[in-house]
């Protein structure tokens, strides 16, 4: 049953003559960005790897979807349709996507493609008819979730990397760009003996069985792109027509991997791309990309340190309410104290680590959280070192997302105070101030848009101090994690394209 609208609630209130009980409501805790800081991470990543995400990391799906749009147009032409309906073209592409993932799920070595849980029943049943109400519902459910073309999967990259572009003559239709024509031609040659199958040559309802895919599943395997596909990916990632920021980021990643003798261990490449304290010095033309990458990692460390502190605080509140002062005192007992905030934030000597290492240590200290002293010391180090690398200006970073430059300015204002006072400021302003602001703001936005009904607020202030919000003690056992920085996607695509080994 749909929730009543605001107008309906007003009408009920106007006609009511006596109080009444509302229906029981149990809040559903949730929210993945408790301090509202993650958007800055995404914005900064767009200065290094724009167009990439953390999912679309294989070449063959780019080819498959691009080819499917062209194949749909060819089928329309072969059936005498000068301009096919976009809905028919989209239906054809949706079908090809499902058949492809279905076939790859049948391979003994499995697949690294979205949709396993949704499409596994097709294999169990042994056949499926692409048509009718069930297919329509399946398409709607997949459109924004498990489809290869979904916005969270390969959809954005297909356009931003330049594999597909809008068809100027058909609103909503897509066509391949000239850059990737040789790639889809090579792909079609690989599967040429299967093009007569109804699923590849007809619009409307068709039935596909496991038997139809027994040999095809290996012919168009996701992990065996052709040389032409490899070249197309290399060009769209970092060629002359590629986005200049991505071109710089990709070339920086390749240079770092070469510096490591073609090593592609993610942490090693990530820290090498940052430069100091490694001995990697990027060539002059990559200095902008290197600075942008280091900024991504520094901001990542700062954000994760604050979310780790919130996580620790919520665990502490499991035992009952605590005042800001008590939380700050407990933190300093674990992390270590100092005579002044300035001294407390001044690292003693160089430990040979950089921002990528700080992030890695935070994640390892958080999961599993066995050593509280280790975690608090790691939080202190990450905060101190990231504040020391704050930029001179916030640029486009919004003030309500706590830009690092603002945090560093506030830290300097507390430099002559005892660390206890500074930590109390962090707890009340950087942690709970940010948390309450974003939790309530997003909750109101959800309510106005009749969106999700979840309780993002994890703690409230009572007379006895900070206390857990209802349900928060169950939901907050999962430790925060670093935001995926797209490097794994970049390295995987580079490896498949033959640019690194």
């Amino acid at each position: 049953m749909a929730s009543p609208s605001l107008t309906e609630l007003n009408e009920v209130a106007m006609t009511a003559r006596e109080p009444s009980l509302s229906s029981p409501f149990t809040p559903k805790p949730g929210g993945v960005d408790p301090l509202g800081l993650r958007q800055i991470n995404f914005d900064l990543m767009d200065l290094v790897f724009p167009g990439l995400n953390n999912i679309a990391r294989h070449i063959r799906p780019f080819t498959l979807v691009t080819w499917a749009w062209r194949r749909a147009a060819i089928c329309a032409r072969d059936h005498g349709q000068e301009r096919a309906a976009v809905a028919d073209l989209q239906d054809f592409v949706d079908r090809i996507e499902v058949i492809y993932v279905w076939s790859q799920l049948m391979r003994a070595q499995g697949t690294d493609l979205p949709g396993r849980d949704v499409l596994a029943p097709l294999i169990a049943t042994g056949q499926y008819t692409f048509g009718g109400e069930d297919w329509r519902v399946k398409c709607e459910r997949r459109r924004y979730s498990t489809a290869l073309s979904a916005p969270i999967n390969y959809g954005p990259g297909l356009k931003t990397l330049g594999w597909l572009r809008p068809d100027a003559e058909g609103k909503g239709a897509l066509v391949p760009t000239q850059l990737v024509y040789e790639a889809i031609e090579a792909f079609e040659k690989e599967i040429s003996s299967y093009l007569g199958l109804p699923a590849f040559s007809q619009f409307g309802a068709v039935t596909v069985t496991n038997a139809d895919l027994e040999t095809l599943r290996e012919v168009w395997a996701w992990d065996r792109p052709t040389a032409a596909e490899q070249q197309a990916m290399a060009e769209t990632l970092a060629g002359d027509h590629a986005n200049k920021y991505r071109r710089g980021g990709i070339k920086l990643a390749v240079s770092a991997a070469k510096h490591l003798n073609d090593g592609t261990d993610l942490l090693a490449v990530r820290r090498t791309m940052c430069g100091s304290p490694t001995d990697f010095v990027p060539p002059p033309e990559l200095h902008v990309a290197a600075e942008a990458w280091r900024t991504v990692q520094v901001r990542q460390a700062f954000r994760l340190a604050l979310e780790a502190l919130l996580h620790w605080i919520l665990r502490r509140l499991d035992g009952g309410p605590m005042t800001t002062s008590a939380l700050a005192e407990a933190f300093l007992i674990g992390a270590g104290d100092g005579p002044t905030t300035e001294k407390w934030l001044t690292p003693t000597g160089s430990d040979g680590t950089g921002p990528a290492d700080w992030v890695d240590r935070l994640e390892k200290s958080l999961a599993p959280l066995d050593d509280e002293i280790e975690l608090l010391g790691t939080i202190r180090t990450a905060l101190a070192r990231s504040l020391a690398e704050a930029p001179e200006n916030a640029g486009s970073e919004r003030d309500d997302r706590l830009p690092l430059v603002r945090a560093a300015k506030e830290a300097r204002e507390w430099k002559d105070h005892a660390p206890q006072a500074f930590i109390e400021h962090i707890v009340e302003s950087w942690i709970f101030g940010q948390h309450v602001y974003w939790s309530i703001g997003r909750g109101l936005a959800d309510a106005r848009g009749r969106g999700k009904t979840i309780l993002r607020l994890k703690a409230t202030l009572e007379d006895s101090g900070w206390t857990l919000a209802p349900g928060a003690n169950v939901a907050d056992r999962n430790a925060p994690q670093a935001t995926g920085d797209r490097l794994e996607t970049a390295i995987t695509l580079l490896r498949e394209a033959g640019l690194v080994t």
Side-chain angles (χ1 to χ4, degrees):
M1 183 173 134
S3 301
S5 66
L6 185 59
T7 300
E8 291 169 334
L9 290 173
N10 283 334
E11 290 176 354
V12 171
M14 292 290 289
T15 57
R17 294 291 179 267
E18 58 186 22
S20 61
L21 293 174
S22 62
S23 57
F25 174 70
T26 301
K28 179 182 178 182
V32 296
D33 187 13
L35 304 180
L37 306 183
R38 298 193 183 193
Q39 186 58 48
I40 291 180
N41 290 51
F42 295 127
D43 293 342
L44 292 173
M45 288 173 203
D46 283 339
L47 297 178
V48 185
F49 292 134
L52 302 185
N53 61 24
N54 296 307
I55 302 296
R57 52 180 175 262
H58 299 293
I59 296 175
R60 182 51 62 82
F62 282 92
T63 312
L64 183 281
V65 178
T66 305
W67 170 81
W69 277 102
R70 190 184 73 162
R71 184 64 185 171
I74 290 174
C75 289
R77 182 198 64 196
D78 291 347
H79 287 81
Q81 300 180 40
E82 185 175 342
R83 296 300 305 173
V86 173
D88 290 339
L89 299 174
Q90 182 68 67
D91 184 78
F92 186 94
V93 173
D94 289 343
R95 179 207 301 165
I96 296 296
E97 286 191 20
V98 169
I99 292 173
Y100 181 71
V101 178
W102 174 0
S103 74
Q104 298 307 286
L105 291 173
M106 292 173 60
R107 297 178 67 209
Q109 56 268 57
T111 183
D112 182 22
L113 297 173
R116 176 181 299 274
D117 293 340
V118 177
L119 300 183
L122 274 64
I123 300 175
T125 303
Q127 71 174 37
Y128 184 75
T129 297
F130 293 86
E133 182 63 14
D134 183 77
W135 171 235
R136 184 191 67 79
V137 171
K138 194 179 294 293
C139 284
E140 289 182 356
R141 288 177 177 172
R142 295 181 66 254
R143 184 83 61 215
Y144 299 100
S145 56
T146 60
L148 291 178
S149 298
I152 61 173
N153 296 321
Y154 287 79
L158 282 160
K159 300 171 187 175
T160 56
L161 267 64
W163 286 69
L164 284 169
R165 63 173 175 80
D167 184 355
E169 299 182 15
K171 185 178 181 181
L174 298 172
V175 295
T177 67
Q178 192 64 42
L179 281 173
V180 300
Y181 254 76
E182 290 186 15
I184 59 176
E185 289 285 356
F187 172 76
E188 185 166 275
K189 185 177 180 180
E190 295 272 301
I191 63 169
S192 58
S193 60
Y194 297 87
L195 297 181
L197 291 174
F200 295 164
S201 59
Q202 297 178 14
F203 291 123
V206 298
T207 298
V208 176
T209 68
N210 282 349
D212 294 329
L213 307 178
E214 281 292 337
T215 55
L216 178 60
R217 65 188 183 183
E218 297 299 332
V219 172
W220 63 357
W222 67 272
D223 52 353
R224 294 201 291 270
T226 63
E229 291 173 81
Q230 291 177 308
Q231 180 60 32
M233 180 53 70
E235 285 295 321
T236 56
L237 276 176
D240 293 339
H241 298 283
N243 176 283
K244 68 175 183 178
Y245 295 116
R246 184 173 66 250
R247 186 165 59 242
I250 291 295
K251 290 183 176 181
L252 178 66
V254 172
S255 294
K258 297 296 184 185
H259 182 78
L260 294 166
N261 297 317
D262 270 340
T264 53
D265 173 79
L266 283 177
L267 178 57
V269 175
R270 182 176 287 116
R271 70 191 305 268
T272 300
M273 288 170 67
C274 289
S276 176
T278 72
D279 60 355
F280 173 65
V281 180
E285 66 271 18
L286 297 182
H287 280 175
V288 171
E291 289 178 5
W293 179 252
R294 188 175 182 93
T295 299
V296 167
Q297 300 304 318
V298 170
R299 178 70 198 191
Q300 179 94 282
F302 178 68
R303 192 273 302 168
L304 187 58
L306 290 183
E307 286 193 13
L309 180 54
L310 172 62
H311 181 69
W312 172 80
I313 288 173
L314 295 175
R315 288 170 60 95
R316 277 290 178 133
L317 297 183
D318 247 349
M322 293 182 68
T323 63
T324 299
S325 177
L327 288 169
E329 183 178 352
F331 178 81
L332 288 171
I333 290 173
D337 208 336
T340 65
T341 293
E342 184 176 36
K343 293 289 186 182
W344 190 81
L345 288 173
T346 302
T348 56
S350 174
D351 61 357
T353 63
D357 300 295
W358 313 334
V359 174
D360 182 59
R361 289 184 178 182
L362 280 167
E363 288 199 298
K364 289 177 178 176
S365 297
L366 280 162
L369 182 46
D370 295 327
D371 189 340
E372 184 176 277
I373 302 300
E374 169 68 20
L375 173 63
L376 298 185
T378 304
I379 291 173
R380 175 185 175 180
T381 298
L383 285 176
R385 295 188 182 276
S386 57
L387 288 170
E389 294 202 26
E392 294 183 1
N393 59 75
S396 61
E397 297 178 10
R398 285 171 38 179
D399 191 61
D400 59 359
R401 293 192 186 277
L402 189 56
L404 197 52
V405 64
R406 187 193 116 193
K409 177 178 179 295
E410 292 180 8
R412 288 192 295 272
E413 292 171 351
W414 291 89
K415 68 184 181 69
D416 296 325
H417 293 75
Q420 169 88 16
F422 177 57
I423 301 303
E424 289 178 7
H425 173 72
I426 290 178
V427 170
E428 293 194 340
S429 179
W430 297 4
I431 301 297
F432 286 124
Q434 289 288 132
H435 178 57
V436 171
Y437 174 85
W438 284 102
S439 298
I440 293 177
R442 286 174 174 154
L444 289 173
D446 286 343
R448 293 188 183 106
R450 299 174 69 80
K452 300 175 183 177
T453 305
I454 60 176
L455 179 65
R456 291 181 171 84
L457 193 65
K458 305 181 187 306
T460 59
L461 184 60
E462 305 289 349
D463 290 342
S464 53
W466 296 102
T467 186
L468 291 176
N473 58 326
V474 176
D476 292 302
R477 290 296 178 264
N478 293 327
Q481 296 178 324
T483 306
D485 57 18
R486 309 174 191 172
L487 180 61
E488 182 178 5
T489 295
I491 291 295
T492 305
L493 289 173
L494 288 169
R495 189 185 296 120
E496 289 191 1
L499 298 179
V500 298
T501 57

